[in-house]
Amino acid sequence: MSVVLVDSGGANIGSVRYALQRLGVEASLSADAATIRAADRVILPGVGAAAPAMARLRETGLVEVLRGLGQPVLGVCLGMQLLCTHSDEGDVDGLGVIDARVRRLRGGDGLRVPHMGWNRVHRVAPHPLCAGDAEAGWAYFVHAYAVPRCAATLATCEHGEVFSAAIGRANFMGVQYHPERSAALGVALLRNFLA
Amino acid sequence: MLSRRIIPCLDVRDGRVVKGVRFRDHAVVGDIVELALRYRDEGADELVFYDIAASPEARVVDVAWVERVARVIDIPFCVAGGIRSVADARAVLHAGADKVSVNSPALERPGLIDELAREFGVQCVVVGIDSLRDEDGEWRVRQYTGDPLRTRNVARRTLEWIEEAQRRGAGEIVLNCMGSDGVRAGYDLEQLRAARTVCRVPLVASGGAGAREHFRDAFVAADADAALAASVFHSGAIAIPALKSWLGECGIEVRR
């Protein structure tokens, strides 16, 4: 199985790559259109802000490449948000392969933003990505923006408001939490994605 | 509901985990990867590694051990020590760390916080603050605490620095109360409560954990999001699984 991690300029590539290694998969990091198109699985990672990440995808000519992919694609954290139509973070359009809008978490009394730490996720729609041990449990989140619950929502989490922990449409999937840092649940999710 | 986090802190010097009392007399505790795995297995929610020698010696953190940890660990970890620039932070994040924590270099040049937040997002920018109460009753920040010979007072008031750090883009504050550190008599609840009133981002209590009640107090009395400790975990005086079950029985949301 060939897995490509899209080099979108996000710095936190190592942890995802190592998580895949622990599952016996050697992923390559690439911004090359042909390499990405040829992969069995594509992961769009990302720690950072939406606007610079989209700017980088545009500079490297990857916007159309990613939109046109037919194999399973997984966006992680910011990577998931980039799959959406628009992000309020930097008021920037995303790849638009999932019809959803990214909004800032409201926070409030006793609700800190960024939402940082372990929280419970629950699957709300049947989907192979969130099957088995990935259906419900504790996942690790670090984010200030989120996708409100919508038609593409596969799993939810709550931090003052309910938001999407996982989304999916056709071959495009995304998780707001960090599977590479979510212990047993994260391992199960990555296994499901690779299956 | 977001759980409260238990964070073992591993002070690193020359690639080994060490522990001192009140920031002095560092003794080797063990191998980084071994300890990281042990805490992961015990249910630690996150790990923090402080390269305590990096900042005073003007060195950058050695990314080789960051990578060794990242390869084996499936819980988040944060690296602190000697990160002075976007390039330094990128190297540490690239090696597999989830967050970077800046302390002395942010005091030298507060604009570093803005730069890191702009480049990587606020969520992976942690500002560590070493704070001590002065004779006039004010809490003030200390710098270069990794080396007692170079530790120095900074004119900044702790609460003002917490506010400024957030304005600049800190996504989390680790408040290390030096007066209570290493003596296991409990977190400095008074200072943490004061910090909480000005801290809108996650606040991590540090310094003074000696008993399970201290963790409860940090969460309930000071509303800290996470509690960090070192020696009680390294020595085995407190076992994380037992601590978490007890906190759960106290009605505190913890990951079990």
PDB file of all heavy atoms in Angstrom, chain A residues 72-99:
ATOM      1  N   PRO A  72      -9.192   7.104  -1.420  1.00  0.00           N
ATOM      2  CA  PRO A  72      -9.527   7.650  -0.104  1.00  0.00           C
ATOM      3  C   PRO A  72      -8.525   8.725   0.352  1.00  0.00           C
ATOM      4  O   PRO A  72      -7.314   8.533   0.252  1.00  0.00           O
ATOM      5  CB  PRO A  72      -9.455   6.414   0.812  1.00  0.00           C
ATOM      6  CG  PRO A  72      -9.715   5.260  -0.103  1.00  0.00           C
ATOM      7  CD  PRO A  72      -9.077   5.632  -1.403  1.00  0.00           C
ATOM      8  N   VAL A  73      -9.068   9.849   0.788  1.00  0.00           N
ATOM      9  CA  VAL A  73      -8.263  10.974   1.260  1.00  0.00           C
ATOM     10  C   VAL A  73      -8.692  11.290   2.689  1.00  0.00           C
ATOM     11  O   VAL A  73      -9.886  11.368   2.976  1.00  0.00           O
ATOM     12  CB  VAL A  73      -8.489  12.232   0.379  1.00  0.00           C
ATOM     13  CG1 VAL A  73      -7.713  13.432   0.915  1.00  0.00           C
ATOM     14  CG2 VAL A  73      -8.121  11.949  -1.074  1.00  0.00           C
ATOM     15  N   LEU A  74      -7.699  11.430   3.573  1.00  0.00           N
ATOM     16  CA  LEU A  74      -8.006  11.760   4.970  1.00  0.00           C
ATOM     17  C   LEU A  74      -7.352  13.074   5.358  1.00  0.00           C
ATOM     18  O   LEU A  74      -6.130  13.218   5.283  1.00  0.00           O
ATOM     19  CB  LEU A  74      -7.502  10.648   5.907  1.00  0.00           C
ATOM     20  CG  LEU A  74      -7.731  10.868   7.408  1.00  0.00           C
ATOM     21  CD1 LEU A  74      -9.226  10.782   7.744  1.00  0.00           C
ATOM     22  CD2 LEU A  74      -6.945   9.867   8.249  1.00  0.00           C
ATOM     23  N   GLY A  75      -8.154  14.040   5.760  1.00  0.00           N
ATOM     24  CA  GLY A  75      -7.624  15.291   6.289  1.00  0.00           C
ATOM     25  C   GLY A  75      -7.578  15.191   7.809  1.00  0.00           C
ATOM     26  O   GLY A  75      -8.524  14.704   8.427  1.00  0.00           O
ATOM     27  N   VAL A  76      -6.473  15.638   8.376  1.00  0.00           N
ATOM     28  CA  VAL A  76      -6.326  15.565   9.828  1.00  0.00           C
ATOM     29  C   VAL A  76      -6.232  16.981  10.396  1.00  0.00           C
ATOM     30  O   VAL A  76      -5.408  17.775   9.951  1.00  0.00           O
ATOM     31  CB  VAL A  76      -5.060  14.758  10.211  1.00  0.00           C
ATOM     32  CG1 VAL A  76      -4.803  14.838  11.711  1.00  0.00           C
ATOM     33  CG2 VAL A  76      -5.200  13.304   9.772  1.00  0.00           C
ATOM     34  N   CYS A  77      -7.088  17.287  11.343  1.00  0.00           N
ATOM     35  CA  CYS A  77      -7.096  18.580  12.039  1.00  0.00           C
ATOM     36  C   CYS A  77      -7.265  19.709  11.021  1.00  0.00           C
ATOM     37  O   CYS A  77      -8.284  19.791  10.365  1.00  0.00           O
ATOM     38  CB  CYS A  77      -5.859  18.731  12.916  1.00  0.00           C
ATOM     39  SG  CYS A  77      -6.039  20.065  14.110  1.00  0.00           S
ATOM     40  N   LEU A  78      -6.247  20.548  10.847  1.00  0.00           N
ATOM     41  CA  LEU A  78      -6.371  21.603   9.839  1.00  0.00           C
ATOM     42  C   LEU A  78      -6.619  20.987   8.455  1.00  0.00           C
ATOM     43  O   LEU A  78      -7.355  21.552   7.638  1.00  0.00           O
ATOM     44  CB  LEU A  78      -5.109  22.467   9.813  1.00  0.00           C
ATOM     45  CG  LEU A  78      -5.077  23.523   8.702  1.00  0.00           C
ATOM     46  CD1 LEU A  78      -6.145  24.580   8.936  1.00  0.00           C
ATOM     47  CD2 LEU A  78      -3.704  24.150   8.591  1.00  0.00           C
ATOM     48  N   GLY A  79      -6.024  19.835   8.218  1.00  0.00           N
ATOM     49  CA  GLY A  79      -6.215  19.135   6.934  1.00  0.00           C
ATOM     50  C   GLY A  79      -7.679  18.848   6.670  1.00  0.00           C
ATOM     51  O   GLY A  79      -8.157  18.959   5.542  1.00  0.00           O
ATOM     52  N   MET A  80      -8.408  18.471   7.722  1.00  0.00           N
ATOM     53  CA  MET A  80      -9.852  18.259   7.583  1.00  0.00           C
ATOM     54  C   MET A  80     -10.542  19.578   7.235  1.00  0.00           C
ATOM     55  O   MET A  80     -11.417  19.621   6.363  1.00  0.00           O
ATOM     56  CB  MET A  80     -10.421  17.712   8.892  1.00  0.00           C
ATOM     57  CG  MET A  80     -11.922  17.887   9.011  1.00  0.00           C
ATOM     58  SD  MET A  80     -12.590  17.338  10.596  1.00  0.00           S
ATOM     59  CE  MET A  80     -13.948  18.509  10.761  1.00  0.00           C
ATOM     60  N   GLN A  81     -10.146  20.635   7.894  1.00  0.00           N
ATOM     61  CA  GLN A  81     -10.794  21.930   7.650  1.00  0.00           C
ATOM     62  C   GLN A  81     -10.545  22.418   6.230  1.00  0.00           C
ATOM     63  O   GLN A  81     -11.391  23.083   5.627  1.00  0.00           O
ATOM     64  CB  GLN A  81     -10.313  22.954   8.688  1.00  0.00           C
ATOM     65  CG  GLN A  81     -10.674  22.543  10.117  1.00  0.00           C
ATOM     66  CD  GLN A  81     -10.175  23.527  11.165  1.00  0.00           C
ATOM     67  OE1 GLN A  81      -9.605  24.561  10.842  1.00  0.00           O
ATOM     68  NE2 GLN A  81     -10.393  23.195  12.433  1.00  0.00           N
ATOM     69  N   LEU A  82      -9.373  22.074   5.691  1.00  0.00           N
ATOM     70  CA  LEU A  82      -9.051  22.504   4.324  1.00  0.00           C
ATOM     71  C   LEU A  82      -9.931  21.816   3.278  1.00  0.00           C
ATOM     72  O   LEU A  82     -10.068  22.305   2.166  1.00  0.00           O
ATOM     73  CB  LEU A  82      -7.567  22.235   4.009  1.00  0.00           C
ATOM     74  CG  LEU A  82      -6.537  22.984   4.857  1.00  0.00           C
ATOM     75  CD1 LEU A  82      -5.125  22.601   4.427  1.00  0.00           C
ATOM     76  CD2 LEU A  82      -6.724  24.494   4.765  1.00  0.00           C
ATOM     77  N   LEU A  83     -10.514  20.676   3.644  1.00  0.00           N
ATOM     78  CA  LEU A  83     -11.402  19.985   2.699  1.00  0.00           C
ATOM     79  C   LEU A  83     -12.727  20.728   2.516  1.00  0.00           C
ATOM     80  O   LEU A  83     -13.462  20.489   1.568  1.00  0.00           O
ATOM     81  CB  LEU A  83     -11.703  18.563   3.198  1.00  0.00           C
ATOM     82  CG  LEU A  83     -10.526  17.589   3.356  1.00  0.00           C
ATOM     83  CD1 LEU A  83     -11.005  16.274   3.951  1.00  0.00           C
ATOM     84  CD2 LEU A  83      -9.842  17.345   2.006  1.00  0.00           C
ATOM     85  N   CYS A  84     -13.023  21.625   3.435  1.00  0.00           N
ATOM     86  CA  CYS A  84     -14.335  22.291   3.456  1.00  0.00           C
ATOM     87  C   CYS A  84     -14.409  23.469   2.473  1.00  0.00           C
ATOM     88  O   CYS A  84     -13.417  23.862   1.878  1.00  0.00           O
ATOM     89  CB  CYS A  84     -14.647  22.754   4.876  1.00  0.00           C
ATOM     90  SG  CYS A  84     -14.711  21.360   6.024  1.00  0.00           S
ATOM     91  N   THR A  85     -15.616  24.005   2.375  1.00  0.00           N
ATOM     92  CA  THR A  85     -15.860  25.093   1.429  1.00  0.00           C
ATOM     93  C   THR A  85     -15.152  26.387   1.817  1.00  0.00           C
ATOM     94  O   THR A  85     -14.552  27.060   0.978  1.00  0.00           O
ATOM     95  CB  THR A  85     -17.380  25.385   1.382  1.00  0.00           C
ATOM     96  OG1 THR A  85     -18.069  24.137   1.382  1.00  0.00           O
ATOM     97  CG2 THR A  85     -17.745  26.174   0.150  1.00  0.00           C
ATOM     98  N   HIS A  86     -15.222  26.705   3.113  1.00  0.00           N
ATOM     99  CA  HIS A  86     -14.700  27.992   3.547  1.00  0.00           C
ATOM    100  C   HIS A  86     -14.287  27.922   5.009  1.00  0.00           C
ATOM    101  O   HIS A  86     -14.886  27.182   5.793  1.00  0.00           O
ATOM    102  CB  HIS A  86     -15.784  29.075   3.384  1.00  0.00           C
ATOM    103  CG  HIS A  86     -15.291  30.462   3.693  1.00  0.00           C
ATOM    104  ND1 HIS A  86     -14.720  31.272   2.736  1.00  0.00           N
ATOM    105  CD2 HIS A  86     -15.257  31.169   4.850  1.00  0.00           C
ATOM    106  CE1 HIS A  86     -14.375  32.426   3.291  1.00  0.00           C
ATOM    107  NE2 HIS A  86     -14.686  32.392   4.571  1.00  0.00           N
ATOM    108  N   SER A  87     -13.254  28.679   5.360  1.00  0.00           N
ATOM    109  CA  SER A  87     -12.879  28.766   6.773  1.00  0.00           C
ATOM    110  C   SER A  87     -12.918  30.217   7.219  1.00  0.00           C
ATOM    111  O   SER A  87     -12.402  31.106   6.536  1.00  0.00           O
ATOM    112  CB  SER A  87     -11.468  28.216   6.997  1.00  0.00           C
ATOM    113  OG  SER A  87     -11.114  28.392   8.361  1.00  0.00           O
ATOM    114  N   ASP A  88     -13.506  30.417   8.390  1.00  0.00           N
ATOM    115  CA  ASP A  88     -13.517  31.769   8.955  1.00  0.00           C
ATOM    116  C   ASP A  88     -12.130  32.185   9.432  1.00  0.00           C
ATOM    117  O   ASP A  88     -11.871  33.360   9.643  1.00  0.00           O
ATOM    118  CB  ASP A  88     -14.501  31.832  10.140  1.00  0.00           C
ATOM    119  CG  ASP A  88     -15.948  31.859   9.652  1.00  0.00           C
ATOM    120  OD1 ASP A  88     -16.153  31.853   8.421  1.00  0.00           O
ATOM    121  OD2 ASP A  88     -16.857  31.888  10.501  1.00  0.00           O
ATOM    122  N   GLU A  89     -11.245  31.183   9.608  1.00  0.00           N
ATOM    123  CA  GLU A  89      -9.886  31.505  10.025  1.00  0.00           C
ATOM    124  C   GLU A  89      -9.147  32.104   8.842  1.00  0.00           C
ATOM    125  O   GLU A  89      -8.762  31.407   7.896  1.00  0.00           O
ATOM    126  CB  GLU A  89      -9.163  30.244  10.516  1.00  0.00           C
ATOM    127  CG  GLU A  89      -7.781  30.543  11.081  1.00  0.00           C
ATOM    128  CD  GLU A  89      -6.992  29.287  11.458  1.00  0.00           C
ATOM    129  OE1 GLU A  89      -7.288  28.201  10.921  1.00  0.00           O
ATOM    130  OE2 GLU A  89      -6.095  29.401  12.274  1.00  0.00           O
ATOM    131  N   GLY A  90      -8.949  33.409   8.876  1.00  0.00           N
ATOM    132  CA  GLY A  90      -8.313  34.087   7.741  1.00  0.00           C
ATOM    133  C   GLY A  90      -9.267  34.291   6.579  1.00  0.00           C
ATOM    134  O   GLY A  90      -8.859  34.715   5.504  1.00  0.00           O
ATOM    135  N   ASP A  91     -10.575  33.996   6.779  1.00  0.00           N
ATOM    136  CA  ASP A  91     -11.617  34.190   5.766  1.00  0.00           C
ATOM    137  C   ASP A  91     -11.163  33.651   4.404  1.00  0.00           C
ATOM    138  O   ASP A  91     -11.091  34.384   3.418  1.00  0.00           O
ATOM    139  CB  ASP A  91     -11.977  35.689   5.672  1.00  0.00           C
ATOM    140  CG  ASP A  91     -13.205  35.920   4.814  1.00  0.00           C
ATOM    141  OD1 ASP A  91     -14.016  34.975   4.681  1.00  0.00           O
ATOM    142  OD2 ASP A  91     -13.349  37.028   4.280  1.00  0.00           O
ATOM    143  N   VAL A  92     -10.869  32.355   4.359  1.00  0.00           N
ATOM    144  CA  VAL A  92     -10.272  31.795   3.152  1.00  0.00           C
ATOM    145  C   VAL A  92     -11.123  30.629   2.636  1.00  0.00           C
ATOM    146  O   VAL A  92     -11.725  29.899   3.427  1.00  0.00           O
ATOM    147  CB  VAL A  92      -8.814  31.346   3.449  1.00  0.00           C
ATOM    148  CG1 VAL A  92      -8.770  30.161   4.409  1.00  0.00           C
ATOM    149  CG2 VAL A  92      -8.063  30.999   2.175  1.00  0.00           C
ATOM    150  N   ASP A  93     -11.194  30.497   1.308  1.00  0.00           N
ATOM    151  CA  ASP A  93     -11.884  29.355   0.726  1.00  0.00           C
ATOM    152  C   ASP A  93     -11.001  28.116   0.818  1.00  0.00           C
ATOM    153  O   ASP A  93      -9.788  28.192   0.621  1.00  0.00           O
ATOM    154  CB  ASP A  93     -12.219  29.620  -0.749  1.00  0.00           C
ATOM    155  CG  ASP A  93     -13.414  30.561  -0.883  1.00  0.00           C
ATOM    156  OD1 ASP A  93     -14.182  30.674   0.094  1.00  0.00           O
ATOM    157  OD2 ASP A  93     -13.567  31.172  -1.952  1.00  0.00           O
ATOM    158  N   GLY A  94     -11.621  26.983   1.111  1.00  0.00           N
ATOM    159  CA  GLY A  94     -10.886  25.724   1.175  1.00  0.00           C
ATOM    160  C   GLY A  94     -10.976  24.989  -0.149  1.00  0.00           C
ATOM    161  O   GLY A  94     -11.314  25.572  -1.179  1.00  0.00           O
ATOM    162  N   LEU A  95     -10.701  23.689  -0.094  1.00  0.00           N
ATOM    163  CA  LEU A  95     -10.739  22.886  -1.315  1.00  0.00           C
ATOM    164  C   LEU A  95     -12.173  22.669  -1.791  1.00  0.00           C
ATOM    165  O   LEU A  95     -12.405  22.400  -2.965  1.00  0.00           O
ATOM    166  CB  LEU A  95     -10.060  21.531  -1.077  1.00  0.00           C
ATOM    167  CG  LEU A  95      -8.559  21.595  -0.762  1.00  0.00           C
ATOM    168  CD1 LEU A  95      -8.049  20.249  -0.274  1.00  0.00           C
ATOM    169  CD2 LEU A  95      -7.781  22.038  -2.005  1.00  0.00           C
ATOM    170  N   GLY A  96     -13.113  22.748  -0.887  1.00  0.00           N
ATOM    171  CA  GLY A  96     -14.519  22.679  -1.273  1.00  0.00           C
ATOM    172  C   GLY A  96     -15.012  21.301  -1.666  1.00  0.00           C
ATOM    173  O   GLY A  96     -16.037  21.180  -2.334  1.00  0.00           O
ATOM    174  N   VAL A  97     -14.319  20.238  -1.256  1.00  0.00           N
ATOM    175  CA  VAL A  97     -14.790  18.895  -1.603  1.00  0.00           C
ATOM    176  C   VAL A  97     -15.820  18.385  -0.600  1.00  0.00           C
ATOM    177  O   VAL A  97     -16.468  17.374  -0.837  1.00  0.00           O
ATOM    178  CB  VAL A  97     -13.619  17.886  -1.731  1.00  0.00           C
ATOM    179  CG1 VAL A  97     -12.760  18.242  -2.936  1.00  0.00           C
ATOM    180  CG2 VAL A  97     -12.783  17.845  -0.456  1.00  0.00           C
ATOM    181  N   ILE A  98     -15.921  19.044   0.533  1.00  0.00           N
ATOM    182  CA  ILE A  98     -16.980  18.732   1.488  1.00  0.00           C
ATOM    183  C   ILE A  98     -17.729  20.027   1.774  1.00  0.00           C
ATOM    184  O   ILE A  98     -17.114  21.061   2.068  1.00  0.00           O
ATOM    185  CB  ILE A  98     -16.411  18.112   2.790  1.00  0.00           C
ATOM    186  CG1 ILE A  98     -15.786  16.742   2.476  1.00  0.00           C
ATOM    187  CG2 ILE A  98     -17.512  17.969   3.851  1.00  0.00           C
ATOM    188  CD1 ILE A  98     -15.193  16.011   3.655  1.00  0.00           C
ATOM    189  N   ASP A  99     -19.041  19.952   1.646  1.00  0.00           N
ATOM    190  CA  ASP A  99     -19.857  21.151   1.785  1.00  0.00           C
ATOM    191  C   ASP A  99     -20.050  21.479   3.258  1.00  0.00           C
ATOM    192  O   ASP A  99     -20.998  21.034   3.899  1.00  0.00           O
ATOM    193  CB  ASP A  99     -21.214  20.913   1.098  1.00  0.00           C
ATOM    194  CG  ASP A  99     -22.069  22.175   1.123  1.00  0.00           C
ATOM    195  OD1 ASP A  99     -21.495  23.272   1.310  1.00  0.00           O
ATOM    196  OD2 ASP A  99     -23.293  22.054   0.957  1.00  0.00           O
TER     197      ASP A  99
END
